[in-house]
Amino acid sequence: MDRQPFSVQPGAGKLVDLGGVGVHFKVRGGQTGGAFAVVEHPVAPATIVEPHLHEHEDELSYVLEGVLWARVGDQEVDLSAGSYLWKPRGVLHSFWNPGPDPVRILETISPAGFENFFEELADLISQPTPPDDERVYELCGQYGLTFDRSWLPELESRFGPMQMV
């Protein structure tokens, strides 16, 4: 990396769809010497990101529009536009949009690298033949990502069925 300043214009960056959650790449780790990456996540109504934890990175989310619900460890919050949410590595977390309006968040990932997972997952699930769960979980393991679905029944009983990403 040559440590040169850069800018990102509105709408710039690759956009991939993970089915209910998008990933709009804004700042790549290669641009920051691996210090951090930034992505935008549009989250469709009635969508939940499966409860998970990261072994290697912390995440800081900023709600750009809409109302996002989240649980980090034992803390559950609803976050309106302008709110921040810290999700430290090693702590189980999830976020969801019970609807009815779309949500958009800006996510800073530190250190960088995990943004590549989103791109690899999008490539994997966009194949003509959907991958088996084993291949998806293998990819997750390569990035130190693990899951725990124990929260899902209680969340669905309160918010209704949601598409899981």
Side-chain angles (χ1 to χ4, degrees):
M1 185 183 120
D2 60 12
R3 296 275 191 195
Q4 293 298 312
F6 64 90
S7 64
V8 180
Q9 297 300 315
K14 180 179 180 179
L15 176 63
V16 299
D17 182 15
L18 302 180
V21 174
V23 183
H24 199 167
F25 297 90
K26 295 298 180 178
V27 177
R28 298 281 188 146
Q31 296 171 286
T32 67
F36 66 91
V38 178
V39 298
E40 282 185 24
H41 290 303
V43 184
T47 300
I48 185 169
V49 172
E50 185 174 350
H52 62 282
L53 62 85
H54 300 267
E55 181 180 335
H56 307 292
E57 52 279 318
D58 302 310
E59 297 174 310
L60 179 66
S61 299
Y62 177 75
V63 181
L64 295 165
E65 65 183 62
V67 177
L68 182 78
W69 285 75
R71 181 170 174 181
V72 181
D74 293 331
Q75 181 182 4
E76 184 177 302
V77 292
D78 62 316
L79 304 156
S80 58
S83 300
Y84 289 87
L85 177 66
W86 174 247
K87 299 174 288 189
R89 72 188 79 190
V91 177
L92 189 65
H93 62 277
S94 178
F95 58 88
W96 61 95
N97 177 6
D101 299 316
V103 169
R104 194 167 50 98
I105 65 173
L106 189 67
E107 187 105 291
T108 302
I109 304 163
S110 176
F114 188 74
E115 72 277 13
N116 299 319
F117 166 78
F118 297 127
E119 200 161 35
E120 289 184 47
L121 181 60
D123 289 345
L124 188 63
I125 65 176
S126 69
Q127 299 301 313
T129 303
D132 58 22
D133 287 345
E134 183 178 318
R135 177 63 191 113
V136 172
Y137 285 111
E138 179 183 310
L139 177 63
C140 293
Q142 291 171 5
Y143 283 91
L145 188 64
T146 56
F147 299 90
D148 179 343
R149 294 183 173 185
S150 60
W151 296 344
L152 292 177
E154 189 269 330
L155 292 174
E156 287 191 343
S157 74
R158 290 174 39 222
F159 294 97
M162 292 183 275
Q163 174 181 343
M164 188 167 45
V165 177

